[in-house]
Amino acid sequence: QVHVVESGGGLVQPGGSLRLSCVASGFTLDDYGIGWFRQGPGKEREGVGCISGDDDSVYYARSVKGRFTITGDYAKNTVFLQMNSLKPEDTAVYYCAVGGCTLAVDDYDYWGQGTQVTVSS
C-alpha cells in the first residue's frame, strides 16, 4: 500500500530554516516522483517543488526557488525539503505526494497528512 508521511514542521522565526522529511512506504522512490505542496490559511493548495524518481530532476515554484531545496535519500526511501530564508508568507501546511514531477495537484494520487510550518517572530 502506497503511503507517505511528512514530519519536521514547526515554528521558526523569519530568516530561519527548517527541513521537512517525507518517508515513503509501499513503493520505491526510483519509480515515482515526489511533489511538495503547501496550503496556507484561506488559500488553495499550491506546488512548491518536486523530484523525479528516475533521473533526480528537480523543479521549483518561482516563489521558493533559491531558498528551498529538494533532495532524495533512496536508501532510506525518503525525500527532504530544506527550507532556508523563511518568510511569514511561507506559513502553511506542507504536504508531500506521490505521482509524477509537476506542480499540479491533480497529477498526484497519494498524499500525506501534512505538517504545519509557521514562520513568525
Side-chain angles (χ1 to χ4, degrees):
Q1 185 176 3
V2 175
H3 197 53
V4 286
V5 178
E6 309 92 337
S7 63
L11 173 64
V12 62
Q13 292 187 342
S17 299
L18 277 177
R19 189 177 79 157
L20 306 184
S21 300
C22 173
V23 179
S25 60
F27 68 102
T28 58
L29 293 180
D30 307 68
D31 296 331
Y32 293 93
I34 295 292
W36 283 100
F37 293 80
R38 65 186 182 185
Q39 188 164 13
K43 298 181 180 179
E44 293 188 354
R45 193 170 296 189
E46 63 174 355
V48 171
C50 63
I51 183 167
S52 175
D54 56 1
D55 64 3
D56 284 348
S57 300
V58 290
Y59 300 96
Y60 301 98
R62 288 183 185 177
S63 58
V64 305
K65 197 169 186 178
R67 299 188 298 123
F68 290 11
T69 303
I70 297 173
T71 56
D73 183 336
Y74 293 92
K76 296 181 179 180
N77 227 32
T78 301
V79 171
F80 301 100
L81 176 64
Q82 177 68 44
M83 305 185 294
N84 299 329
S85 302
L86 283 162
K87 306 174 182 179
E89 51 264 43
D90 294 318
T91 294
V93 178
Y94 283 72
Y95 302 87
C96 66
V98 183
C101 186
T102 75
L103 300 183
V105 171
D106 291 344
D107 289 345
Y108 291 81
D109 298 317
Y110 302 95
W111 293 80
Q113 82 290 347
T115 185
Q116 176 71 46
V117 171
T118 302
V119 184
S120 175
S121 56

